């Protein structure tokens, strides 16, 4: 059985919603957590410093612990020392790992433009984007602390937002209205909504390959993962099964519908996806079915492992960008698990 290299305990009654390794500072791992399933109570942003302890073991110490007035649903690194939390009261709050003493818990920036829960975050250079239960996506300039734009068009919760790359003018939003929308931020008004991907299930999660910004993968409420090439609205990339498709034009927005599943990944909704692990083929998925999966999409049978280390919903999962084969998952069982995929699957050492 593939066991975690380290299992971290969240404070009692706090459930894990999302994890994020720092993209450039080795060893920093953040988690957004909430009390009472995120329905009421406080939120938590916790940062660990993870170190090698020898013989394949890891150790960790808490570097920062921030309690928020309402639930914390997502965490995103927005600088060398800064992280953002998407909160249940509609706020997006930014904190520093390094502040100590009287300023240790100081909120450096507090954006409060969402009318309902803020639940999704992404960053590109100096722009932070947030998605919400109010069906909108807000964009903020991190230098000025000003909201610069609001994207509207979804009719349900925006569960995920992603920039295509670090300097991108393209952002994708995934929603419970069974769609993912591609927005071109170089366009004004409704013209920015250039492409809408329609699926048969609500879209709970999304990921894009680090070096292939033309491809998106969507995790559905039906437990399936679907892949699209956003350059070709009438075609769908095949992963493991044949697919049919249909398309139509509506108000100059390209759309298409998927008739068959791509990957039967989980028994319940796919709540989190991440592609990485030093390549385009390695993918992680986390699900309401209490499992996480590791995939090698270059194989005919892509599943490498189904991980049943958590005892509740696995809500968040993500690769380390530095330790290429290290990843972490968080769950409503109040734990965060860290894994070393190199040791588990016999991968060659990859920039470790």
């Amino acid at each position: 059985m593939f066991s975690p290299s380290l299992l971290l305990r969240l404070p009692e009654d706090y459930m894990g919603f999302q994890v994020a390794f720092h993209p450039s500072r080795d060893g920093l791992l953040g988690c957004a957590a909430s009390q009472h399933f995120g329905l009421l109570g406080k939120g938590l942003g916790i940062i660990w410093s993870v170190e090698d302890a020898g013989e394949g073991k890891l150790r960790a110490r808490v570097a920062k612990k921030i309690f928020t007035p309402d639930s914390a649903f997502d965490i995103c690194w927005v600088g060398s020392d800064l992280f953002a939390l998407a909160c249940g009261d509609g706020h997006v709050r930014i904190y520093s790992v390094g502040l100590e003493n009287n300023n240790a818990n100081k909120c450096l920036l507090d954006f409060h433009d969402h009318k309902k829960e803020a639940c999704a975050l992404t960053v590109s250079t100096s722009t932070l984007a947030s998605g919400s239960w109010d069906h909108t996506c807000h964009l903020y300039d991190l230098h000025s602390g000003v909201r610069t734009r609001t994207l509207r068009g979804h009719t349900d919760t925006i569960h995920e937002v992603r920039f295509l790359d670090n300097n991108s003018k393209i952002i994708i939003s995934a929603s419970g209205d069974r769609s993912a929308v591609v927005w071109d931020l170089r366009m004004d008004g409704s013209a920015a909504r250039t492409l809408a991907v329609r699926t048969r299930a609500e879209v709970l999660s999304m990921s894009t390959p680090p070096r292939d910004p033309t491809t998106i993968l969507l995790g559905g409420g039906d437990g399936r993962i679907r892949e699209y090439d956003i350059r070709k609205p009438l075609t769908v990339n095949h992963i493991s099964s044949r697919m049919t498709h249909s398309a139509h034009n509506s108000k100059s927005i390209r759309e298409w519908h998927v008739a068959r599943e791509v990957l039967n990944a989980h028994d319940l909704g796919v709540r989190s996806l991440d592609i990485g692990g030093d390549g385009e083929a390695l993918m992680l998925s986390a699900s309401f079915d209490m499992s996480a999966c590791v995939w090698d999409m270059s194989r005919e049978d892509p599943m490498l492992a189904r991980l049943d280390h958590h005892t509740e919903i696995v809500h968040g999962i993500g690769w380390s960008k530095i330790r290429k084969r290290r990843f972490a998952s968080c769950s409503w069982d109040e734990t965060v698990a860290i894994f070393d995929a190199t040791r588990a699957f016999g991968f060659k050492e990859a920039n470790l």
Side-chain angles (χ1 to χ4, degrees), residues 56 86 97 138-139 145 166 209 229 247 283 287 289 291 312 334 349-350:
V97 176
H138 292 313
L139 280 73
N166 193 45
D229 184 339
M283 181 176 69
S287 173
D289 67 8
S291 75
E312 252 293 355
E334 304 176 12
E349 297 291 323

Side-chain angles (χ1 to χ4, degrees), residues 187-200:
M187 308 285 284
D188 294 328
S190 60
R193 189 172 182 265
T194 59
L195 180 67
V197 180
R198 305 290 179 184
T199 75
R200 289 184 174 233

Side-chain angles (χ1 to χ4, degrees), residues 50-60 326:
V50 182
E51 302 173 342
D52 291 313
E55 299 181 354
K57 297 181 180 179
L58 301 173
R59 60 172 173 259
R326 182 174 293 173

